[in-house]
Amino acid sequence: MAACDRPRGGDHDRGVALAETGADATPSIPSGIPCDDDHGFRVGRFTIGREFVIIAGPCAVESESQLLATARAVRDAGAHMLRGGAFKPRTSPRSFQGLGEAGLELLRNARAATGLPIVTEVMDARQLDAVLSCADILQVGSRNMQNFTLLKELGRVDRPVLLKRGMSATLEEWLGAAEYILDGGNSRVVLCERGIRTFGSTTRNTLDLAIVPLAKQRSGLPVIVDPSHATGRPDLILPMSLAAAAAGADGLLIEVHEDPPHALCDREQQITPAALGEVVRQVTELLVHLTRNDPQVPPPS
Ligand code: PEP
Ligand code: MN
């Protein structure tokens, strides 16, 4: 498969530096130096696969004030990119479905206000043009991992794709889905482990950390971890973020809300910006420790 033609080796070497945060931070990789495929790809001033990238923000875009407040707070807490769903795949049709195109407009405004690149979900090929007008990375949700029509369309676009693992997808199925995008000519795919369904019921899903180094070895693609959907519990975000970083993940996708108890979607699992700040601080410390011989690793912001 195309993805397997690009192995990155054992990949337990921590060649991943924490991306710099803050408007005045000096990027660890000078801008203008292109990265080859073996070392990731650029999104804004970050290089996914080479720098450890923290993507944070609400499950759903709910309102202008909610998004802007959360966007500023996650930026100040050290996040590198803003996530937020405008189109939401919900189990019940009576649950909040997202603001749709109005939500995309709010995301565009949040990017202008904060400078953070935007990660947002596209659920259907018919939404693609609208989502492309706003997203720096197109997220494909678990429920759509095998929406082959959508994956083929994403192979034709000039935008990175964050491909979440399906609810109970095997490694083969996940990489097969990635291959649909790669085969179309879009090589900028990042995989996202977000937990799978198992017999265990103590957490929302079961975080499968072993798949992180395996998926990297097999595909050569960057792999990030979403501890929010994997655990469904705010108190597990910090330990699982540390575990993901130690397991070789290339970044994190974390749900953050300025007022979690009043979130319209996934309120049980969203953390506060202050809690995110602690995740960034401890993950940075861990990465500095793991890569202590690498002078490129910047200090926490
Ligand atoms: C999300 O990221 O908000 C989401 C719906 O995630 P998943 O597709 O992993 O369930
Ligand atoms: Mn969610």
Side-chain angles (χ1 to χ4, degrees):
M1 63 181 283
C4 288
D5 293 341
R6 312 162 57 220
R8 277 211 316 233
D11 222 318
H12 222 77
D13 89 64
R14 297 308 333 232
V16 179
L18 189 87
E20 294 260 7
T21 59
D24 54 358
T26 309
S28 59
I29 300 173
S31 56
I33 297 182
C35 284
D36 61 39
D37 277 353
D38 286 343
H39 293 95
F41 49 84
R42 299 295 297 249
V43 176
R45 61 193 182 85
F46 306 112
T47 307
I48 297 199
R50 191 156 161 194
E51 295 176 289
F52 192 93
V53 176
I54 298 174
I55 304 165
C59 178
V61 177
E62 299 170 8
S63 69
E64 183 167 26
S65 58
Q66 170 254 7
L67 186 66
L68 266 181
T70 309
R72 291 197 170 106
V74 301
R75 180 199 57 194
D76 294 347
H80 307 107
M81 299 188 194
L82 177 67
R83 64 145 286 153
F87 294 102
K88 293 302 304 177
R90 304 304 305 278
T91 302
S92 166
R94 278 165 290 285
S95 299
F96 176 58
Q97 301 288 306
L99 297 179
E101 297 208 14
L104 298 177
E105 177 71 30
L106 297 181
L107 285 165
R108 274 193 294 274
N109 295 343
R111 178 175 45 187
T114 62
L116 295 175
I118 301 296
V119 181
T120 195
E121 181 159 349
V122 55
M123 286 171 55
D124 186 292
R126 288 166 293 186
Q127 297 162 352
L128 195 48
D129 284 341
V131 178
L132 280 169
S133 73
C134 139
D136 295 282
I137 300 182
L138 301 160
Q139 176 174 322
V140 177
S142 291
R143 292 155 190 81
N144 263 321
M145 190 202 81
Q146 287 189 318
N147 180 340
F148 299 117
T149 311
L150 177 62
L151 298 176
K152 283 180 187 171
E153 288 294 325
L154 294 173
R156 289 194 268 270
V157 302
D158 179 24
R159 204 67 52 87
V161 177
L162 187 154
L163 180 63
K164 288 192 137 191
R165 183 180 181 187
M167 297 251 185
S168 52
T170 64
L171 180 58
E172 293 305 324
E173 289 163 344
W174 196 15
L175 297 185
E179 203 174 349
Y180 271 90
I181 304 169
L182 298 168
D183 280 359
N186 186 353
S187 62
R188 295 187 293 170
V189 176
V190 52
L191 302 172
C192 178
E193 158 60 19
R194 47 78 74 200
I196 46 168
R197 244 181 217 173
T198 66
F199 294 111
S201 57
T202 43
T203 51
R204 181 176 179 180
N205 290 292
T206 298
L207 178 55
D208 181 8
L209 280 181
I211 203 116
V212 172
L214 279 176
K216 289 179 62 160
Q217 283 165 23
R218 284 282 308 281
S219 70
L221 297 171
V223 180
I224 70 168
V225 168
D226 168 357
S228 301
H229 294 86
T231 68
R233 296 179 54 123
D235 57 333
L236 295 181
I237 304 303
L238 174 60
M240 293 303 97
S241 295
L242 291 167
D250 295 290
L252 296 165
L253 181 76
I254 299 178
E255 285 194 344
V256 179
H257 197 281
E258 40 149 13
D259 184 13
H262 293 105
L264 296 182
C265 183
D266 282 348
R267 68 171 61 113
E268 316 74 25
Q269 71 195 27
Q270 303 205 53
I271 62 171
T272 61
L276 176 71
E278 188 57 18
V279 171
V280 174
R281 195 186 69 72
Q282 292 202 29
V283 167
T284 303
E285 209 168 277
L286 177 66
L287 289 170
V288 169
H289 178 72
L290 290 170
T291 58
R292 58 190 176 279
N293 295 324
D294 182 350
Q296 295 283 338
V297 178
S301 57

